[in-house]
Amino acid sequence: MQDYQNLPIDIQTSKLLDWLVDRRHCILKWQTSLVTIREKINAAIQDMPENEEIKQLLSGSYIHYFHCLRIIDILKGTEASSKNIFGRYSSQRMKDWQEIVSLYEKDNTYLAEVSSLLVRNVTYEVPSLKKQISKCQQAQQEFSRKELECQSGTADMRDKFYSSCKQYGITGDNIKWELLALVKDLPLILSDIAKETQGLSKIIELYAAFTSFVCEWSEEPVLPMLRYCQHKGNTTVYEWRTGSPPSVIERPLIEGTLTDTVAEDSIDWGDLGGAADAVTVGTDYGISLEDGGIDWGITAGESIEGITLGEEKDSTVEIDVLDAGINSPEGVACGEDALTLLEYSQTRNQFIDELMELETFLSQRLTEMSEEGDVVSMSQFQLAPSVIQSQTRDKVLAMLVQVRSMIERLTTKKMQHLFMILASPRYVDRVTDILQQKMKQADILVLKQQRMVEKRQEALAEQAKLEPQLDLLIKRTRELQKQIEADISRRYNNRPVNLMGVAM
């Protein structure tokens, strides 16, 4: 018998209500009686004495039977003055809460309610709060990962931006203006490159002698563009085409060279004037105009090749603009003819092609001279001119380095961009848009990174708000578990009772 008394009663928490109803501790329709009890509790809590513990019991928690018992214990101290000689309280507060406890104890309604509350906390409330906290933690990790991705992407986009700016030779502070400003140095750079052709005399002489000796190309001179630049420099296309310098140069208009926000005198554009302005050629091209201007040899009213001049009294002259300098008046260089040889794409390409032709020749010659004694080769060049026989491997290598240096100066990324800017003003806008787009993407990533930080802070704040709620709920659930176990134990001669599945 003693062993039976100590045998514990194990009850699965999820089946607790069914267990109480099956053993007739509670009635099946206990919720009907609970409606009246909840109404009386809501009315009773409207008139409560000032007490800190009562405030804690009533703040944000579900008032159940065990809370009511504790409230009565507190009221016994606060309402002691209302107790009569018969041990009854005349206080309406005490009467209200005693009535509530009495209704709770009828049919053990309180036991069914607290059991239902325990099951709900264990099954739904606690897991729900834990799930919300877990989501907050996962969100923080995800936002931290995206924050690092945005930070890395921002640095990558800015590196690409500054790398591109470095290729263009600008700082990136004012992209369009800096790109246009690069053009002002282009005439001087091209003039210096053209002057360097004077140092190619020996190389050109060697190549001409070699081709004449091997191929007998004596009818046509080799490397005509390089030879021309040796003597004339970087002249206009008009002078290259006609053989005589122009009297007037009308250069094509480069749009967008000046803006309202930048002072016009901040950059000296030199000869980059408009097409309608007659530009006097300076020392850059070695061309000068006569002081007396241009005498066209015609009078008012006459017409020449479709150009009609009005009477002297009418100062307005109508002129049809012709394309690319074709059929333009003699001595006037306009359109493509007004560009210099290294500015115009076709003549520049010819210049580079001839340099590459020299490079190929020198590379091949260096390879041949590097080979060990070749009897056939030695005998072949016994009759060659002295300029060929006097060359050594070191001399040819020095020539090759010189030619390659000139090619590299003309074919760098920066020079390619300068030529594109000179050829098409739209290219400046396109490059500006591309570079600005990279910075815009970097700025967007910065904003996204800031948003990820804000979301991570929000998730952290939400977690900080939920964790105390979870701790309080677990604490009250464990208290409720012990109270239910003790109540059921009293009904079975204090046998130990274990509610299973309340692990939290």
Side-chain angles (χ1 to χ4, degrees):
M1 183 65 179
Q2 187 67 25
D3 294 338
Y4 176 77
Q5 182 66 27
N6 295 328
L7 189 64
I9 301 174
D10 295 334
I11 307 172
Q12 189 67 29
T13 303
S14 59
K15 304 294 183 181
L16 179 58
L17 270 175
D18 295 336
W19 188 90
L20 293 173
V21 173
D22 289 344
R23 282 152 184 79
R24 300 183 184 278
H25 297 301
C26 301
I27 62 175
L28 186 60
K29 297 183 179 181
W30 60 271
Q31 291 179 338
T32 304
S33 304
L34 190 62
V35 175
T36 302
I37 297 173
R38 301 312 303 178
E39 291 177 355
K40 290 186 175 294
I41 289 176
N42 291 333
I45 61 177
Q46 302 301 322
D47 180 26
M48 296 298 293
E50 291 292 333
N51 185 278
E52 189 64 29
E53 187 175 355
I54 290 179
K55 287 182 179 179
Q56 293 180 0
L57 289 173
L58 300 179
S59 61
S61 61
Y62 184 85
I63 307 300
H64 52 73
Y65 171 75
F66 296 108
H67 290 156
C68 295
L69 293 180
R70 181 57 189 159
I71 290 173
I72 289 176
D73 290 339
I74 296 172
L75 289 177
K76 286 179 181 180
T78 59
E79 306 296 324
S81 60
S82 65
K83 188 176 182 180
N84 57 28
I85 59 175
F86 300 104
R88 295 181 179 275
Y89 293 87
S90 60
S91 170
Q92 185 62 38
R93 293 173 180 169
M94 182 65 78
K95 289 180 180 179
D96 291 342
W97 287 104
Q98 286 177 341
E99 181 185 4
I100 291 171
V101 170
S102 177
L103 291 173
Y104 258 135
E105 292 176 347
K106 183 180 179 181
D107 297 327
N108 296 322
T109 303
Y110 76 91
L111 187 58
E113 183 191 31
V114 293
S115 298
S116 173
L117 182 60
L118 177 66
V119 172
R120 186 176 65 191
N121 287 352
V122 172
T123 307
Y124 301 107
E125 300 297 336
V126 173
S128 176
L129 282 176
K130 286 185 176 180
K131 187 175 181 180
Q132 291 181 50
I133 292 174
S134 178
K135 285 184 177 180
C136 289
Q137 293 173 343
Q138 292 177 359
Q140 292 175 53
Q141 294 176 358
E142 182 68 16
F143 292 143
S144 296
R145 183 184 63 81
K146 290 183 178 180
E147 179 184 349
L148 292 176
E149 288 180 355
C150 292
Q151 185 177 359
S152 176
T154 301
D156 184 53
M157 292 306 300
R158 285 178 175 170
D159 287 343
K160 289 182 179 179
F161 171 78
Y162 289 116
S163 177
S164 299
C165 289
K166 186 176 180 181
Q167 288 184 354
Y168 288 101
I170 62 177
T171 62
D173 296 332
N174 191 332
I175 300 172
K176 185 172 182 179
W177 182 251
E178 290 177 11
L179 289 173
L180 292 172
L182 291 175
V183 184
K184 75 182 183 66
D185 298 326
L186 188 58
L188 181 60
I189 295 173
L190 297 180
S191 179
D192 290 342
I193 294 176
K195 288 179 181 178
E196 288 185 14
T197 56
Q198 297 176 2
L200 302 178
S201 299
K202 294 183 179 180
I203 305 175
I204 297 174
E205 182 183 358
L206 172 62
Y207 182 59
F210 196 91
T211 53
S212 177
F213 174 72
V214 175
C215 304
E216 297 182 357
W217 289 349
S218 58
E219 296 181 359
E220 296 182 4
V222 296
L223 310 176
M225 179 63 72
L226 293 180
R227 289 177 180 271
Y228 177 85
C229 290
Q230 276 187 307
H231 298 91
K232 297 286 188 175
N234 189 29
T235 65
T236 61
V237 176
Y238 178 90
E239 185 174 351
W240 158 261
R241 184 172 58 83
T242 63
S244 58
S247 302
V248 177
I249 297 177
E250 297 178 354
R251 290 184 60 86
L253 175 65
I254 298 181
E255 301 174 358
T257 54
L258 292 175
T259 61
D260 295 335
T261 59
V262 183
E264 293 186 4
D265 59 350
S266 60
I267 290 183
D268 182 14
W269 291 100
D271 295 332
L272 301 182
D277 297 329
V279 181
T280 303
V281 181
T283 57
D284 285 344
Y285 305 107
I287 305 171
S288 59
L289 295 179
E290 297 180 359
D291 295 336
I294 301 175
D295 184 6
W296 296 103
I298 56 175
T299 58
E302 295 180 358
S303 62
I304 299 178
E305 297 183 358
I307 303 177
T308 304
L309 302 180
E311 301 294 333
E312 291 183 354
K313 64 181 179 180
D314 187 2
S315 61
T316 303
V317 180
E318 297 182 357
I319 301 177
D320 295 329
V321 179
L322 303 177
D323 295 334
I326 300 174
N327 297 328
S328 59
E330 184 179 355
V332 177
C334 60
E336 295 172 351
D337 281 354
L339 299 176
T340 63
L341 294 175
L342 295 183
E343 287 177 344
Y344 185 43
S345 59
Q346 293 184 7
T347 52
R348 181 176 66 251
N349 290 339
Q350 182 178 349
F351 186 88
I352 296 174
D353 288 344
E354 292 183 3
L355 284 176
M356 290 184 173
E357 185 177 345
L358 272 182
E359 179 192 20
T360 304
F361 162 71
L362 293 173
S363 298
Q364 180 62 31
R365 189 74 189 112
L366 187 63
T367 302
E368 294 172 354
M369 296 177 70
S370 300
E371 296 177 354
E372 296 183 357
D374 187 343
V375 178
V376 177
S377 178
M378 293 175 61
S379 62
Q380 181 180 6
F381 288 100
Q382 286 180 353
L383 300 178
S386 59
V387 67
I388 298 177
Q389 296 187 25
S390 63
Q391 299 301 323
T392 63
R393 185 178 181 279
D394 293 338
K395 291 182 180 179
V396 175
L397 180 60
M399 294 177 181
L400 180 60
V401 171
Q402 183 180 359
V403 172
R404 284 178 174 172
S405 175
M406 292 186 63
I407 295 175
E408 289 175 1
R409 289 188 62 186
L410 278 171
T411 57
T412 59
K413 283 285 185 181
K414 181 178 179 180
M415 291 299 293
Q416 293 177 19
H417 296 317
L418 290 177
F419 292 138
M420 289 294 293
I421 293 171
L422 186 66
S424 173
R426 295 181 182 178
Y427 177 77
V428 178
D429 296 331
R430 185 164 65 250
V431 172
T432 302
D433 292 340
I434 292 174
L435 293 178
Q436 288 178 345
Q437 187 64 28
K438 292 180 181 179
M439 287 304 293
K440 287 180 182 178
Q441 291 175 356
D443 294 338
I444 291 173
L445 288 174
V446 170
L447 295 177
K448 187 176 179 181
Q449 178 184 352
Q450 295 174 354
R451 181 57 180 160
M452 292 301 104
V453 173
E454 293 174 359
K455 287 187 175 182
R456 180 169 55 82
Q457 294 295 335
E458 291 174 0
L460 183 61
E462 182 69 16
Q463 179 183 347
K465 177 182 177 182
L466 293 174
E467 285 178 343
Q469 297 180 10
L470 177 62
D471 294 338
L472 180 61
L473 181 61
I474 291 176
K475 178 182 176 181
R476 291 181 176 177
T477 302
R478 293 193 186 280
E479 292 175 354
L480 197 59
Q481 176 189 1
K482 293 178 180 179
Q483 292 167 343
I484 294 173
E485 289 176 346
D487 190 279
I488 296 176
S489 179
R490 287 194 299 269
R491 299 173 188 274
Y492 288 90
N493 298 323
N494 294 324
R495 284 178 61 184
V497 176
N498 298 320
L499 294 179
M500 310 299 290
V502 193
M504 292 176 288

